[in-house]
C-alpha cells in the first residue's frame, strides 16, 4: 500500500441469509416505508392542487428559530373569496395561520388554507413540486427492491437489468426530491 493510504480490511459478516419468513418481513417493511411516504403526501398534494382548502394569499409575518434547523413561521392568510358563499365574492378578512417552516418573514405567495383553518400550504406549481418531495424519496427507495427479491429468489437472469433499472429509478427519485426541495425554498 501507499504511505498515504491506510491499510483497509473489509469485514464480511459470517452469517446466513434471513429465513424465508425473514425475507418476506424485510420486503414488507421496505415496501411499507417507501409507500407510506407517498400516502403521507396525499393531503399536501390535495392542498397544493386546490382540491381541498380555500385559495388565497399568504403573507409570512415572522419565523422563529427553534434550533437544529427547525423554524416556526406565522402569517396572515387572505382568502380570494368568502368560502361560505360558494361564489366569487370579494376576499374575506385575513386569518392568522401557521406558515410552512421553509418560509421566510416577508414572503407573499399563493397558498391554500387547510379545511381546519390553522395552516396555509403553498399552492400552484411550486406547491405541487414541494409536495412531491416525499413521494419522490419513496419512489427512489423502491429502485433496488426488485434486484433484492431476485437475488434472494436465486434468479440469475435479469439481475443486470434489475440493477440498471434500480439505478435509474433511484436517480429519478433523487432528482424529484431535489426539485421538490428547491421548489420548497424558492
Amino acid at each position: 500500500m501507499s504511505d498515504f493510504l491506510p491499510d483497509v480490511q473489509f469485514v464480511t459478516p459470517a452469517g446466513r441469509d434471513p429465513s424465508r419468513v425473514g425475507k418476506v418481513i424485510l420486503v414488507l417493511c421496505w415496501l411499507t416505508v417507501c409507500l407510506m411516504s407517498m400516502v403521507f403526501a396525499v393531503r399536501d398534494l390535495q392542498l397544493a392542487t386546490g382540491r381541498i382548502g380555500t385559495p388565497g394569499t399568504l403573507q409570512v409575518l415572522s419565523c422563529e428559530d427553534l434550533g437544529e434547523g427547525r423554524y416556526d413561521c406565522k402569517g396572515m392568510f387572505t382568502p380570494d373569496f368568502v368560502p361560505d358563499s360558494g361564489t366569487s365574492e370579494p376576499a374575506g378578512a385575513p386569518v392568522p395561520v401557521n406558515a410552512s417552516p421553509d418560509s421566510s418573514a416577508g414572503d407573499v405567495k399563493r397558498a391554500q388554507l387547510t379545511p381546519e383553518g390553522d395552516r396555509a400550504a403553498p399552492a400552484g406549481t411550486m406547491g405541487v413540486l414541494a409536495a412531491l418531495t416525499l413521494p419522490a424519496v419513496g419512489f427512489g427507495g423502491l429502485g433496488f427492491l426488485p434486484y433484492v427479491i431476485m437475488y434472494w429468489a436465486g434468479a440469475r437472469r435479469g439481475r443486470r437489468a434489475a440493477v440498471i433499472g434500480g439505478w435509474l429509478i433511484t436517480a429519478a427519485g433523487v432528482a424529484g426530491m431535489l426539485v421538490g426541495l428547491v421548489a420548497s425554498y424558492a
Side-chain angles (χ1 to χ4, degrees):
M1 289 298 262
S2 168
D3 294 335
F4 299 106
L5 297 175
D7 187 24
V8 178
Q9 288 184 319
F10 294 100
V11 179
T12 304
R16 313 176 316 198
D17 279 350
S19 66
R20 183 172 292 172
V21 172
K23 291 175 184 177
V24 169
I25 290 171
L26 286 172
V27 167
L28 289 175
C29 286
W30 190 335
L31 276 171
T32 300
V33 167
C34 292
L35 295 177
M36 288 308 289
S37 67
M38 297 174 194
V39 170
F40 288 140
V42 169
R43 184 166 169 86
D44 285 337
L45 278 168
Q46 289 176 328
L47 279 168
T49 58
R51 293 192 58 145
I52 63 173
T54 304
T57 304
L58 171 67
Q59 180 180 8
V60 182
L61 301 175
S62 66
C63 286
E64 179 184 345
D65 187 358
L66 300 175
E68 298 181 13
R70 300 177 329 168
Y71 294 90
D72 182 26
C73 296
K74 305 286 184 198
M76 281 297 211
F77 179 82
T78 306
D80 287 344
F81 58 89
V82 179
D84 295 333
S85 68
T87 63
S88 298
E89 290 184 22
V95 179
V97 293
N98 292 324
S100 178
D102 50 21
S103 302
S104 297
D107 285 353
V108 176
K109 53 184 151 185
R110 300 290 308 147
Q112 287 284 120
L113 183 65
T114 60
E116 296 81 24
D118 62 342
R119 181 174 70 93
T125 304
M126 297 304 248
V128 171
L129 290 174
L132 286 173
T133 304
L134 192 57
V137 171
F139 178 73
L142 291 173
F144 285 97
L145 184 59
Y147 172 78
V148 170
I149 292 171
M150 292 173 76
Y151 177 82
W152 281 342
R156 296 270 181 220
R157 298 189 102 158
R159 283 193 349 201
R160 175 172 283 175
V163 168
I164 292 169
W167 278 113
L168 291 174
I169 290 170
T170 301
V174 168
M177 176 196 65
L178 291 174
V179 167
L181 286 173
V182 168
S184 292
Y185 289 97

